[in-house]
Amino acid sequence: MKRTPTAEEREREAKKLRLLEELEDTWLPYLTPKDDEFYQQWQLKYPKLVLREAGSVPEVLRKEVREAFLTLHKHGCLFRDLVRIQGKDVLTPVSRVLIGNPGCTYKYLNTRLFTVPWPVKGSTTKYDESEIAAACETFLKLNDYLQIETIQAWEELVAKDKANIDAVPVCIGPDFPRIGMGAFDGQDEMDIKNRSTYNVTLLNFMDPQKMPYLKEEPYFGMGKMAVSWHHDENLVERSAVAVYSYSFEGPEEESEDDPQLEGRDPDIWHVGFKISWDIETPGLAIPLHQGDCYFMLDDLNATHQHCVLAGLPPRFSSTHRVAECSTGTLDYISQRCQLALRNVRDEADTGDVSLKSLEPAVLKQGEEIHNEVEFEWLRQFWFQGNRYRKCTDWWCQPMTQLEEMWKKMEFATNAVLHEVRREGVPVEQRSEILTAILASLTARQNLRKEWHARCQSRIARTLPADQKPECRPYWEKDDPSMPLPFDLTDIVSELRGLLLAAKA
């Protein structure tokens, strides 16, 4: 079933089309370090973008990170994601793995990634290989280093703004502290630390030589893109992003064949930046050499877009983020499931359940949580096949426990249906219960149909065995262990009929 684009997606697509129409057959201007005005433009229009060249990163750490990248690649821990864009499944050209705090997830392009835990204090993780354990520890070290560097970059940005406030028109938000870090009061310092405390890193890898097709950058003519223009999703508001870039040995200077080459050198990886939907301000294409890192501070990720422009050699990156995890941790969804099951009373002899309350608000909440655990967690996890077992079995037991709680919710839904079908139920009560649960059951039916189709799609069938999507939970109609069918079409139709009758 084709998904209807959201209002935000429709607006974004309309803006893109309007921009392309305005451009017609011309390119917008962009600057590289070869251009005289490059650094001035960077200072004026992109002051919250900070680059640290490789030489500023400790050599020992650079070597450890290089080995960690190669280790995870050797063990097959990075995967191309089958993401959902405007109702279509698309396989990303970039291979990825999420490493971070145990139990955290990160969602992008309608895909929830689950962390391979790094060894934070107090956690225990069983890794498939000792080399993988060492690699995860290295990325935790890199995370600690980048967090310190991020806070330093905040301090430099604020100090520069304070010193040059009349001379340089920088773009600092009105609530941004305009004093050096050392003079912050406790609240300001804590706020900046919170917005720099990275809880995950999304590792990326791509070898352009093995990609038969990469999109051309559409606005500036910057060349082949590894990652299209975007804002990073699912982050704490105004939080920083730190990116460590590691490309294999490649050309360090401009291409010898054409020393007068206009624009960016296509042999070298670059990160592109532009102000969102602005056709007046030149974009930037910043070359990324082995070991460089850059920081996006404050609201830069919201006001600007960035893309990754492919070079010739293979490249890794480690992109450290403050993921917005209020609804994205194992603790969160476990507590939600427990909340839903508070209304369930077990019937030990029959295996069925009864409900403690038939209050419409309680039933509505239970069915919403039922959908949340099924479609935001179980189906998201199993749609990615068995990829996480390549690194660790950390998620195996939690997903089993979530599925057990989900199954009990199936019995709870069956108990609700038994109640609305029961003769003698007052018409008003039946109507209130049906109104409370019908939207959730309709959504459940539609989403099950969509996820089932995604798992059977042509592109899904091309994936290696350990990455093939699994439609789970799934069961046949006559499965005696399940109280309700997988396909809820008939039940939803019946409930609509009962609701119409109750309102007649």
Side-chain angles (χ1 to χ4, degrees):
M1 188 183 77
K2 188 173 180 180
R3 185 182 68 89
T4 304
T6 65
E8 182 182 358
E9 288 171 338
R10 289 195 300 271
E11 181 184 2
R12 188 164 59 239
E13 188 64 18
K15 283 181 176 178
K16 179 180 175 182
L17 291 174
R18 284 198 301 272
L19 184 55
L20 290 171
E21 285 173 5
E22 286 186 53
L23 291 177
E24 295 181 341
D25 296 326
T26 62
W27 295 119
L28 291 173
Y30 76 95
L31 304 172
T32 73
K34 293 183 295 185
D35 297 299
D36 293 339
E37 63 269 42
F38 174 78
Y39 290 102
Q40 181 185 24
Q41 191 72 17
W42 186 343
Q43 185 180 47
L44 290 175
K45 297 296 184 179
Y46 302 86
K48 298 176 186 178
L49 170 63
V50 176
L51 178 71
R52 289 274 192 269
E53 294 183 347
S56 67
V57 181
E59 185 178 357
V60 172
L61 181 59
R62 290 206 310 272
K63 287 181 178 178
E64 287 183 0
V65 171
R66 174 184 179 276
E67 289 305 312
F69 278 134
L70 294 174
T71 292
L72 294 179
H73 187 260
K74 178 181 75 174
H75 287 285
C77 296
L78 290 90
F79 302 92
R80 297 172 68 186
D81 293 321
L82 191 53
V83 297
R84 195 76 162 161
I85 302 176
Q86 295 182 355
K88 295 180 181 178
D89 282 329
V90 179
L91 200 58
T92 60
V94 176
S95 299
R96 296 185 166 102
V97 65
L98 185 71
I99 300 177
N101 289 352
C104 273
T105 66
Y106 176 73
K107 196 172 180 187
Y108 85 108
L109 296 178
N110 302 297
T111 300
R112 184 179 298 280
L113 300 181
F114 298 75
T115 52
V116 174
W118 48 30
V120 293
K121 189 175 180 181
S123 71
T124 54
T125 301
K126 179 185 173 185
Y127 299 95
D128 278 29
E129 300 281 349
S130 59
E131 287 185 334
I132 294 175
C136 291
E137 185 172 3
T138 293
F139 285 109
L140 180 58
K141 284 184 193 174
L142 178 62
N143 195 67
D144 292 341
Y145 169 78
L146 291 175
Q147 183 175 325
I148 292 168
E149 288 297 300
T150 302
I151 293 172
Q152 177 66 29
W154 280 110
E155 181 176 355
E156 291 173 4
L157 177 66
V158 175
K160 184 172 68 172
D161 178 45
K162 181 183 178 184
N164 302 302
I165 190 65
D166 296 325
V168 180
V170 293
C171 307
I172 298 292
D175 58 341
F176 191 87
R178 306 189 73 87
I179 48 179
M181 180 71 78
F184 283 173
D185 64 29
Q187 186 58 46
D188 286 334
E189 184 173 357
M190 184 59 66
D191 179 51
I192 281 186
K193 284 184 176 177
N194 287 341
R195 288 192 276 150
S196 310
T197 303
Y198 305 122
N199 50 14
V200 299
T201 180
L202 186 59
L203 269 55
N204 305 285
F205 172 77
M206 197 183 86
D207 183 351
Q209 304 306 311
K210 294 183 179 179
M211 287 292 117
Y213 172 75
L214 290 175
K215 285 184 179 180
E216 293 283 339
E217 193 283 312
Y219 306 119
F220 301 89
M222 291 177 173
K224 302 287 187 185
M225 296 187 298
V227 182
S228 301
W229 290 107
H230 67 288
H231 306 277
D232 286 340
E233 299 180 72
N234 194 34
L235 304 179
V236 168
E237 187 178 4
R238 301 173 79 97
S239 62
V241 176
V243 180
Y244 181 91
S245 180
Y246 181 87
S247 53
F248 286 65
E249 294 294 343
E252 290 298 318
E253 304 298 333
E254 298 297 345
S255 298
E256 293 180 7
D257 294 342
D258 188 1
Q260 301 303 316
L261 183 73
E262 288 189 14
R264 69 115 180 169
D265 184 343
D267 292 350
I268 295 175
W269 284 82
H270 289 66
V271 59
F273 279 88
K274 70 183 180 72
I275 300 175
S276 300
W277 316 116
D278 180 338
I279 63 173
E280 303 295 332
T281 304
L284 297 184
I286 301 172
L288 296 173
H289 299 290
Q290 195 179 80
D292 286 349
C293 50
Y294 62 90
F295 304 84
M296 297 185 284
L297 303 179
D298 197 34
D299 61 353
L300 182 80
N301 181 57
T303 59
H304 296 61
Q305 290 176 303
H306 59 283
C307 69
V308 181
L309 302 160
L312 281 182
R315 172 184 178 264
F316 291 99
S317 67
S318 183
T319 62
H320 298 248
R321 305 147 190 259
V322 190
E324 207 296 292
C325 280
S326 61
T327 62
T329 63
L330 177 61
D331 284 345
Y332 160 81
I333 193 59
S334 297
Q335 289 169 15
R336 289 280 285 170
C337 290
Q338 290 161 13
L339 175 62
L341 295 178
R342 282 181 199 165
N343 194 39
V344 172
R345 184 185 294 112
D346 290 304
E347 302 288 346
D349 294 338
T350 64
D352 288 332
V353 303
S354 60
L355 302 176
K356 297 175 183 177
S357 170
L358 293 172
E359 283 293 323
V362 174
L363 300 180
K364 183 174 186 287
Q365 176 180 258
E367 296 304 329
E368 288 171 349
I369 295 172
H370 188 161
N371 282 0
E372 184 176 12
V373 68
E374 179 171 341
F375 301 109
E376 287 295 330
W377 291 82
L378 294 174
R379 296 199 183 281
Q380 287 276 3
F381 184 82
W382 291 111
F383 186 73
Q384 296 168 54
N386 287 302
R387 61 161 69 179
Y388 294 102
R389 292 298 299 270
K390 284 266 188 177
C391 298
T392 176
D393 63 359
W394 195 93
W395 283 97
C396 293
Q397 185 177 355
M399 297 313 292
T400 298
Q401 292 170 342
L402 289 179
E403 192 164 333
E404 288 171 355
M405 290 189 281
W406 164 85
K407 187 172 182 179
K408 190 168 283 190
M409 292 179 210
E410 284 285 305
F411 281 91
T413 300
N414 190 45
V416 178
L417 297 181
H418 177 78
E419 185 63 26
V420 295
R421 291 166 176 153
R422 184 172 60 83
E423 290 186 15
V425 175
V427 172
E428 185 177 348
Q429 183 184 14
R430 177 179 285 125
S431 177
E432 288 176 349
I433 292 175
L434 288 166
T435 300
I437 68 169
L438 187 55
S440 289
L441 267 68
T442 303
R444 191 173 307 158
Q445 165 57 15
N446 292 337
L447 287 168
R448 280 182 183 173
K449 187 175 179 182
E450 180 181 316
W451 279 97
H452 187 262
R454 291 186 70 193
C455 290
Q456 307 299 321
S457 70
R458 183 182 303 173
I459 192 169
R461 292 198 298 267
T462 67
L463 295 174
D466 61 347
Q467 300 174 45
K468 269 191 168 56
E470 183 178 349
C471 185
R472 180 171 172 179
Y474 180 80
W475 62 100
E476 297 296 340
K477 193 172 184 178
D478 56 354
D479 187 333
S481 70
M482 298 300 294
L484 294 170
F486 177 85
D487 186 339
L488 297 173
T489 302
D490 292 343
I491 288 174
V492 169
S493 179
E494 176 196 359
L495 296 184
R496 285 176 178 158
L498 287 172
L499 184 58
L500 285 172
K503 291 182 175 180

